[in-house]
Amino acid sequence: MLVRDLCKSFDGQVVLDGISLSVAAGELLSIIGPSGCGKSTLLRCLNFLELPDRGEVRMVGHALRRDGGRWRRADEASAHALRAQVGMVFQAFNLFPHRTVLDNVLLAPRVVKRAERGLARQEAMRLLDKVGLAAVAGRHPGTLSGGQQQRAAIARALAMAPRVMLYDEPTSALDPELAEEVLQVMRQLDAEGMTQLVVTHEMRFARAASDRIVFMDAGRIVEEAAPDQLFTAPTDPRTRRFLRQFL
Ligand SMILES: Nc1ncnc2c1ncn2[C@@H]1O[C@H](COP(=O)(O)OP(=O)(O)O)[C@@H](O)[C@H]1O
Ligand SMILES: [Mg+2]
């Protein structure tokens, strides 16, 4: 994945100030930084849920570019095609409350990919088993723990057979032990070669599981490094100041 000079402002306030980044296939990249520095906006711009003002994103075989001109229907079609191969998981689970866990996982493949019912169901059960939820497939999200709901949300994203997964603080609504269950699923996906970008406040996870960590501040990438290097020898004073609060 290649991101070049991504810029985004809201009402004249610069939120992304020229983000460039490359992510290798199979890499697990963590993005850290203070609240409000643009992490969520960056993730949303990567799959064009949010329209960047300027910049380029190349991933999963698509190249999307913005240079301030009009966003055309053909551009939206490309964004749609890109999104179909990029799974996204949010802090707040965002499951459909009135559908069972299984139906939550089945919905997108059935509607978007028009997958045949029996096959889609078989695949959904395989994914629920993978995230440790086969036994609760028939229950409604509200009856599950937060950790189970987030694992269901991951299974739902995986049901579209994404090539890249984006996570926006997937564990920040969870108690530590429930967070650990979710992080375990991400580790497993990493071992299977999934490309993953994770915005996280879990410094222990970021350090232990990431191939690389990006530190953002005020809409820019301040520093990117291998985890041990970033944690033991951060070069920028802003990175040092940020990491100090987790000591
Ligand atoms: N849709 C929006 N409209 C206006 N301002 C926004 C919008 N989304 C984000 N912002 C602003 O952009 C800045 C960065 O937000 P965000 O990307 O959510 O940061 P982070 O995820 O790092 O906490 C914040 O000042 C936020 O208020
Ligand atoms: Mg955020």
Side-chain angles (χ1 to χ4, degrees):
M1 173 193 321
L2 192 67
V3 179
R4 236 192 313 235
D5 197 27
L6 215 56
C7 296
K8 177 71 180 177
S9 296
F10 289 111
D11 314 316
Q13 184 210 352
V14 177
V15 172
L16 297 181
D17 192 9
I19 298 278
S20 296
L21 184 65
S22 79
V23 185
E27 194 171 23
L28 195 164
L29 182 83
S30 290
I31 301 171
I32 62 174
S35 179
C37 74
K39 304 180 299 296
S40 296
T41 304
L42 172 60
L43 280 196
R44 294 168 56 80
C45 281
L46 289 182
N47 60 9
F48 288 73
L49 277 178
E50 195 79 71
L51 205 54
D53 301 328
R54 201 148 55 82
E56 184 176 7
V57 177
R58 292 171 178 269
M59 68 169 152
V60 299
H62 297 275
L64 271 75
R65 197 160 35 166
R66 283 281 289 161
D67 53 12
R70 275 186 48 212
W71 185 247
R72 297 167 195 282
R73 190 168 293 194
D75 298 322
E76 186 48 41
S78 301
H80 188 78
L82 178 148
R83 263 177 237 133
Q85 298 185 66
V86 178
M88 188 145 185
V89 173
F90 302 90
Q91 178 179 337
F93 321 140
N94 295 357
L95 296 163
F96 299 108
H98 301 300
R99 293 178 181 268
T100 64
V101 168
L102 177 62
D103 283 342
N104 266 276
V105 177
L106 273 175
L107 197 63
R110 289 280 289 154
V111 173
V112 180
K113 290 193 168 171
R114 303 191 183 284
E116 189 268 319
R117 173 178 278 284
L119 282 178
R121 196 187 156 87
Q122 207 176 359
E123 175 62 7
M125 283 309 296
R126 186 184 72 80
L127 291 170
L128 285 171
D129 187 48
K130 181 188 179 95
V131 300
L133 294 178
V136 296
R139 284 171 45 183
H140 285 80
T143 71
L144 305 183
S145 74
Q148 289 175 316
Q149 290 185 55
Q150 192 60 300
R151 284 182 282 141
I154 293 174
R156 186 178 59 175
L158 292 175
M160 289 295 284
R163 289 164 62 190
V164 172
M165 289 284 286
L166 308 176
Y167 305 84
D168 194 356
E169 302 197 20
T171 61
S172 47
L174 303 176
D175 293 335
E177 63 198 294
L178 301 185
E180 187 50 43
E181 299 172 350
V182 172
L183 299 174
Q184 197 51 47
V185 169
M186 293 160 69
R187 284 194 194 92
Q188 186 187 342
L189 290 171
D190 183 49
E192 292 169 5
M194 179 66 80
T195 306
Q196 304 183 90
L197 264 69
V198 189
V199 170
T200 186
H201 286 137
E202 296 273 352
M203 292 301 140
R204 280 198 309 172
F205 170 78
R207 184 166 186 176
S210 310
D211 295 300
R212 196 154 46 101
I213 302 180
V214 163
F215 171 69
M216 276 180 71
D217 191 27
R220 296 181 180 212
I221 293 179
V222 170
E223 188 164 351
E224 50 177 295
D228 281 339
Q229 188 190 336
L230 191 92
F231 279 95
T232 58
T235 59
D236 194 283
R238 287 166 290 181
T239 319
R240 274 186 234 132
R241 206 175 314 127
F242 177 77
L243 291 176
R244 206 173 295 142
Q245 62 183 309
F246 296 97
L247 292 178

